[in-house]
């Protein structure tokens, strides 16, 4: 009976260790969203829990089948009477037999580190400088209205009368259009993909023709640019016809989790409200810049600042939605949206700032890459230029892409690290051709373009009636505002699609994803589906 005592002792220790580990796991899951985590899919949660315990019980120790490894502890079963009756053999020390089984480390979902701190500091310094500049320029504008000469007063009053009402109207109209587009895309995604592609063509063409009809050199030049954009837009709509069907399938499937989170639009409300206030202060600062030195230079700086700030607002909304949807896909959790929004505004703001600088440029380079791919066979010079640019772009795509926001939101990674890890996941699942040919980002971009051209048509007609000299300037400003505001609202469908692709690449066997991507991959490998991937330098893959 002396042999049974250490068995019982080790069994008691193993049970206590197992209970301790279970408590730690429960605390970690609760800590992900500060205790406000629920399981939206009860069936999925139960199955995962059962599989987890079954896998733990099946890890038998190879040296002794009665010893079961349980989370770095060892539990020894009670021997049978026949085993106890056999003569005992010299055995090794208990510590040598109970070597803990190493467990793979999992990436935490609740990282408390601030990502991309240098970018965060730069953005915050930029905001402090811009707020100070706003205050100074608004003061100069008020000073010009009060103590300046009569000619300066008349000029500033005229600018306020014919700029401010149209800009404020464009801001309010763009906010209304932003929610209308987002609601329509969520309700009728298949119809809206076709509608956005061709309405952007018609609206840009209509805006260009309207501006040319005013018969002024500035409006004529702007109208010709809009018509040229309409031609390119129409060619693009014809070019992506074969990819629309798959885009619609992914969009429909990826928008399904949105109904499980009724408050998912709260970050959009806050960002659009902040955007409206910022636009109002911005136009007052522009008026004040006219009463200061180097007005064109200051106005260009204000335009660049506005573009960066609005893009950061959009990416904050993108990160919020990405965390909510990604945790649903990866863990089956129903996250606290307010906490995700606070996290995006604080810990992930540096990544949002860095991505806001580079992702729009990367998206533009995708278009350049496709154009170079068409031109590289013309002559030797174009061939060399194309391959040089493609080698540079290959590095850019690996180290910075729009898909990174999902891993930034879920795991708290930096922008570059998240981009690299996401692209590696795509390569492991052989999804590069699929994500390269995705047109969701183009659909969101064209949605902003549609709102911009609607604002142009309304504001141009209004300004031409009251003060035709300002028509071109106010029209261009209205387009800019309409585009930026709508892109903020379209962060919801864009983030949902990104989460669908990235989370699928991380765990393709999850039943939430359906077989859309898997069937597409089979068709591509079988040569029955045409894709138009972003071209890459051919020797890069061979040298790796």
């Amino acid at each position: 009976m002396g042999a049974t005592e250490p068995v019982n002792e080790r069994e008691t220790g193993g049970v206590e260790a197992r209970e301790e580990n279970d408590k730690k796991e429960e605390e970690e899951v609760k800590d992900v969203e500060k205790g406000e985590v629920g399981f939206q899919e009860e069936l999925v949660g139960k199955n995962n829990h059962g599989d987890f315990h079954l896998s733990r019980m099946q890890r038998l120790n190879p040296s002794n089948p009665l010893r079961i490894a349980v989370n770095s502890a060892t539990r020894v079963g009670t021997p049978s009477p026949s085993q106890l009756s056999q003569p005992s053999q010299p055995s090794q020390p208990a510590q040598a037999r109970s070597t803990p089984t190493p467990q793979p480390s999992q990436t935490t979902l609740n990282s408390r580190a601030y990502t991309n701190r240098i970018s965060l500091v730069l953005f915050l310094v930029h905001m402090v400088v811009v707020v100070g500049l706003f205050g100074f320029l608004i003061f100069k504008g008020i000073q010009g209205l009060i103590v300046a000469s009569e000619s300066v007063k008349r000029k500033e009053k005229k600018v306020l009368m014919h700029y401010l009402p149209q800009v404020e109207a464009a801001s309010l109209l763009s906010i209304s259009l932003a929610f209308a587009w987002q609601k329509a895309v969520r309700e009728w995604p298949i119809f809206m993909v076709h509608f956005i592609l061709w309405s952007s063509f018609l609206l840009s063409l209509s805006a260009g023709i309207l501006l040319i009809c005013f018969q002024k050199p500035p409006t004529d030049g702007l109208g010709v640019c809009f018509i040229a954009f309409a031609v390119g837009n129409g060619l693009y709509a014809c070019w992506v016809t074969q990819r629309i069907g798959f885009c619609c399938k992914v969009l429909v499937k990826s928008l399904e989790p949105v109904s499980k989170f009724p408050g998912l639009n709260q970050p959009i409300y806050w960002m659009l409200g902040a955007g409206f206030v910022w636009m109002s202060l911005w136009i007052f600062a522009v008026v004040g810049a006219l009463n200061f030195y180097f007005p064109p230079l200051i106005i260009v700086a204000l335009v660049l600042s506005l573009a960066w700030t609005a893009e950061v607002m959009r990416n904050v909304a993108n990160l919020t939605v990405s965390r909510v949807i990604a945790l649903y896909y990866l863990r089956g959790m129903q996250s606290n949206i307010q906490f995700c929004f606070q996290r995006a505004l604080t810990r992930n703001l540096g990544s949002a700032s860095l991505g806001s600088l580079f992702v729009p440029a990367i998206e533009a380079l995708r278009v350049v890459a496709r154009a170079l791919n068409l031109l590289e066979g013309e002559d030797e010079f174009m061939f060399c230029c194309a391959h040089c640019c493609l080698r540079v772009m290959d590095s850019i795509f690996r180290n910075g892409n729009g898909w990174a926001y999902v891993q930034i939101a879920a795991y708290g990674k930096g922008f570059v690290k998240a981009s690299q890890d996401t692209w590696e996941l795509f390569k492991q699942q052989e999804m590069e051709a699929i994500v390269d040919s995705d047109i969701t980002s183009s659909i969101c971009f064209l949605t902003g373009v549609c709102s911009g051209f609607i604002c142009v048509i309304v504001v141009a007609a209004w300004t031409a009636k009251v003060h035709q000299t300002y028509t071109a300037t106010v029209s261009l400003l209205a387009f800019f505002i309409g585009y930026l505001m709508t892109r903020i609202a379209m962060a919801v469908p864009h983030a949902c699609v990104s989460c669908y692709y990235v989370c699928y690449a991380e765990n393709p066997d999850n039943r939430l994803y359906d077989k859309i991507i898997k069937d597409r991959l089979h068709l591509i490998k079988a040569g029955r589906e045409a894709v138009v991937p972003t071209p890459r330098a051919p020797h890069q893959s061979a040298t790796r």
Side-chain angles (χ1 to χ4, degrees), residues 256-329:
E256 287 181 359
V258 175
S259 60
K260 303 179 186 298
F261 303 94
L264 200 58
N265 260 337
Q266 288 180 4
I268 306 299
Y269 299 148
W270 285 106
M271 290 293 101
L272 287 177
F276 176 76
V277 174
W278 193 255
M279 294 284 183
S280 303
L281 294 174
W282 185 84
I283 189 60
F284 280 114
V286 169
V287 174
L290 299 176
N291 197 31
F292 195 58
Y293 302 106
F294 309 110
L297 186 61
I298 295 177
I299 291 174
V300 168
L302 289 175
V303 168
L304 294 176
S305 171
L306 177 63
W308 190 19
T309 305
E311 191 70 13
V312 170
M313 290 180 181
R314 179 174 77 91
N315 286 326
V316 166
N318 191 341
L319 286 168
T320 304
V321 178
S322 294
R323 181 166 178 84
V324 173
I325 302 299
L327 291 185
Y328 170 76
Y329 280 136

Side-chain angles (χ1 to χ4, degrees), residues 81 105 123 143 189-190 206 228 244 264 276 300 332 369 374 387 418 438-439 448:
S105 60
F123 180 72
Q143 187 183 45
I190 298 176
S206 303
I244 293 177
L264 200 58
F276 176 76
V300 168
L374 298 175
H387 280 276
D438 181 70
I439 62 171

